[in-house]
């Protein structure tokens, strides 16, 4: 295959351009390690000065690379097993469609069976609490290595396989954004695999490890820990149950596979999304039944909005004539695709983000109101989704032009009705 140096130097740069692409790969890994240290410190204060820093010995354990690589290998094996159906992705630039195995939920179930068996045989899953820092260090290392591999290999990819962004010719920016859209080894799709499997399933395994640690320390799991574990397990199980929907998301359809997504999938998600559970190990919280019911209801409402709106759009994009969406009001666009202007997508322009944010709040509330750290996820996620919404609007305006402007006039609020 030809060496591909295709460049789009004038393409608009995102994430703060070259400066952002240089600073983020340094700043975010350090943030992960810092948050993990703070979360196990007695004060658990993110604003503490001087900051909590771990002794170097706590950053490394020879077991960590074995566990991280073993975990990636195990999940790759489940990915390759002939379980579930095979689905086609969106149409690519060359008119073709890639095939994807829809077996993420199977992988979760098989993992659950293996874990149950291992726990029954006496595996000390609570030890994950001690290993969190070395595991995060290894996941960060793997993210850098994989991103470098992807960057180098992308020069042999055909022109039509390159992503729209990430091909500016600036190595730092392209390494960060990702040059190739759907890098594969044979039929093994690296981006699709990383998007929902090792990190997401890893997140709930870490959560379970924190629960086991709590049981070791205090003989039983607290209500707060059970709620955090159950809410987040529901979120992960839902993502894997609806795995096919990921094929229409921005990550798969638009973004190249570079450090931004690799690090997000393999290091950021499992180690920062599990902060609430890790926090509860060291800072137990008592929760009244009334409080727990209110939090449970909030999570349920968020989940309902999130699931219904995502399914509605997914159904509409896959088959606009399906009875569940055929009666919704839509507007035409010059591309031939239509935009929903009623139903969930007539309430705000990103109802799915609204539901996601309500759930994020419900995951933090069981940790009480005395610390900022468990709310890190809500704050970060609000910033991420506001930024993501702005990116998506830019793409949609470029795609749909006047039709998008008229959608915005019909549905003036972006995420929060009457607020934003
Ligand atoms: P969305 O699922 O919101 O998809 C955006 C796309 O939907 C647009 O580009 C457009 O694509 C289409 N669209 C937008 N408006 C309409 C409309 N009115 N009618 C029909 N189609 C429309 O994108 P994301 O990938 O950002 O989010 C997917 C889910 O993942 C969300 O629930 C989000 O909260 C969640 N998420 C979670 C993260 C986490 O870390 N937990 C991180 C990021 C996302 P087109 O017209 O080309 O089809």
């Amino acid at each position: 295959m030809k060496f591909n140096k295709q460049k789009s130097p004038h393409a608009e740069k995102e994430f703060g351009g070259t400066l952002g692409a240089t600073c983020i790969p340094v700043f975010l890994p350090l943030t992960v390690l810092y948050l993990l240290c703070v979360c196990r410190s007695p004060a658990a204060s993110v604003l503490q000065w001087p900051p909590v820093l771990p002794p170097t010995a706590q950053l490394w354990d020879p077991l960590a690379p074995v566990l991280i690589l073993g975990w990636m290998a195990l999940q790759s094996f489940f990915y390759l097993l002939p379980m579930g159906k095979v689905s086609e992705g969106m149409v690519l630039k060359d008119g073709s469609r890639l095939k994807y195995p829809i077996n993420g939920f199977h992988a979760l179930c098989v993992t659950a069976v293996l874990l149950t068996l291992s726990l029954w045989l006496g595996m000390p899953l609570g030890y994950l609490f001690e290993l969190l820092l070395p595991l995060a260090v290894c996941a960060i290392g793997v993210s850098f290595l994989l991103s470098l591999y992807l960057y180098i290999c992308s020069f042999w990819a055909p022109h039509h396989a390159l992503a729209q962004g990430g091909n500016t010719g600036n190595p730092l920016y392209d390494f960060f954004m990702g040059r190739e859209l759907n890098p594969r080894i044979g039929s093994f799709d690296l981006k699709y695999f990383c998007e929902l499997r090792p990190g997401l399933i890893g997140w709930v395994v870490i959560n379970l490890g924190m629960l086991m640690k709590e049981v070791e320390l205090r003989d039983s799991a607290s209500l707060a820990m059970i709620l955090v574990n159950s809410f987040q397990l529901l979120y992960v199980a839902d993502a894997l149950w609806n795995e096919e929907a990921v094929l229409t998301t921005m990550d798969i359809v638009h973004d190249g596979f570079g450090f931004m997504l690799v690090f997000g999938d393999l290091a950021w998600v499992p180690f920062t999304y599990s902060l609430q559970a890790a926090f509860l190990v060291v800072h137990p919280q008592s929760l009244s039944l009334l409080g727990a019911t209110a939090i449970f209801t909030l999570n349920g409402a968020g989940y309902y909005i999130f699931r219904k709106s995502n399914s509605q759009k997914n159904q509409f994009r896959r088959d606009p004539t399906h009875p569940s969406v055929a009666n919704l009001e839509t507007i035409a666009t010059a591309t031939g695709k239509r935009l929903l202007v009623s139903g969930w997508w007539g309430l705000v322009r990103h109802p799915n983000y609204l539901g996601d944010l309500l759930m994020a709040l419900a995951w933090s509330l069981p940790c009480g109101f005395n610390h900022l750290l468990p709310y890190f996820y809500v704050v970060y996620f609000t910033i991420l989704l506001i930024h993501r919404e702005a990116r998506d609007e830019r793409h949609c305006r470029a795609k749909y032009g006047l039709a998008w402007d008229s959608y915005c006039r019909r549905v003036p609020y972006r995420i929060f009705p009457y607020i934003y």
Side-chain angles (χ1 to χ4, degrees), residues 235 249-250 273 306 310 313 316-317 337-340 345 350 352-353 356 377 380-381 384-385 388 392 396 399-400 404 407:
Y235 190 75
T249 60
M250 219 193 321
Y273 287 24
F306 165 86
N310 272 324
K313 177 177 61 84
F316 181 69
R317 277 288 171 255
K337 270 185 176 179
R338 302 186 74 87
L339 289 168
L340 289 164
W345 297 79
H350 268 96
N352 48 353
Y353 291 0
D356 223 337
Y377 178 71
Y380 138 80
F381 203 45
L384 176 115
L385 290 184
R388 196 173 169 93
D392 192 45
C396 288
K399 255 186 300 188
Y400 301 126
W404 186 258
Y407 174 50

Side-chain angles (χ1 to χ4, degrees), residues 123-138:
M123 182 178 70
L125 195 63
Y127 190 57
L128 279 183
F129 179 75
E130 272 77 35
L131 279 180
L132 274 180
L133 270 171
L135 285 174
V137 168
C138 288

Side-chain angles (χ1 to χ4, degrees), residues 120-164:
W120 183 68
L121 290 172
M123 182 178 70
L125 195 63
Y127 190 57
L128 279 183
F129 179 75
E130 272 77 35
L131 279 180
L132 274 180
L133 270 171
L135 285 174
V137 168
C138 288
I140 291 167
V142 169
S143 304
F144 273 104
L145 290 176
L146 179 56
S147 310
L148 192 64
Y149 164 83
L150 292 165
Y151 178 73
I152 294 169
C153 288
S154 70
F155 287 96
W156 281 268
H159 172 215
H160 63 77
L162 299 182
Q164 207 182 332

Side-chain angles (χ1 to χ4, degrees), residues 95-338:
S96 66
R97 297 175 111 181
L98 292 170
K99 289 190 169 19
Y100 297 88
I102 308 294
N103 61 8
F105 192 75
H106 300 77
L108 177 69
C109 294
V110 180
T111 306
V113 171
L114 276 184
L115 261 180
T116 313
L117 205 66
S118 313
L119 286 172
W120 183 68
L121 290 172
M123 182 178 70
L125 195 63
Y127 190 57
L128 279 183
F129 179 75
E130 272 77 35
L131 279 180
L132 274 180
L133 270 171
L135 285 174
V137 168
C138 288
I140 291 167
V142 169
S143 304
F144 273 104
L145 290 176
L146 179 56
S147 310
L148 192 64
Y149 164 83
L150 292 165
Y151 178 73
I152 294 169
C153 288
S154 70
F155 287 96
W156 281 268
H159 172 215
H160 63 77
L162 299 182
Q164 207 182 332
N167 288 287
T168 60
N170 179 318
L172 286 174
Y173 184 77
D174 295 350
F175 167 84
F176 177 74
M177 292 300 290
R179 293 187 79 238
E180 198 176 342
L181 188 60
N182 304 297
R184 290 185 160 209
I185 300 173
S187 65
F188 191 99
D189 192 293
L190 292 163
K191 180 164 68 169
Y192 175 70
F193 168 72
C194 289
E195 189 79 4
L196 292 186
R197 318 260 181 138
L200 229 53
I201 303 178
W203 167 23
V204 290
V205 173
I206 292 176
N207 276 351
L208 183 63
M210 302 306 107
L211 186 146
M212 298 306 289
K213 183 73 190 176
E214 198 186 44
V215 174
E216 264 174 43
L217 293 174
R218 294 186 271 278
D219 290 333
S220 66
S222 64
L223 183 54
M225 181 66 99
I226 293 172
L227 284 187
V228 167
N229 263 262
S230 324
F231 292 164
Q232 298 184 349
L233 176 62
L234 170 72
Y235 190 75
V236 170
D238 174 90
L240 293 164
W241 180 260
N242 295 288
E243 192 178 22
E244 206 169 355
V246 85
L247 299 178
T248 60
T249 60
M250 219 193 321
D251 290 3
I252 299 288
V253 175
H254 181 270
D255 292 333
F257 196 36
F259 183 81
M260 175 184 75
L261 283 181
V262 175
F263 169 79
D265 291 341
L266 301 183
W268 184 262
V269 167
F271 294 99
T272 63
Y273 287 24
S274 57
L275 276 177
Q276 286 109 345
F279 168 87
L280 287 172
V281 172
V282 189
H283 308 88
Q285 305 289 321
S286 61
L287 202 56
S288 71
L289 210 54
L290 187 67
T293 312
I295 296 172
F296 189 83
T297 311
L298 179 68
N299 191 65
Y303 177 70
Y304 184 76
I305 299 173
F306 165 86
R307 174 59 18 239
K308 286 284 179 188
S309 56
N310 272 324
S311 298
Q312 190 170 69
K313 177 177 61 84
N314 195 39
Q315 186 59 62
F316 181 69
R317 277 288 171 255
R318 290 207 164 259
D319 176 13
T321 62
H322 190 274
S324 65
V325 290
N327 293 328
L328 292 172
E329 201 184 336
T330 59
I331 49 175
T333 74
T335 64
K337 270 185 176 179
R338 302 186 74 87

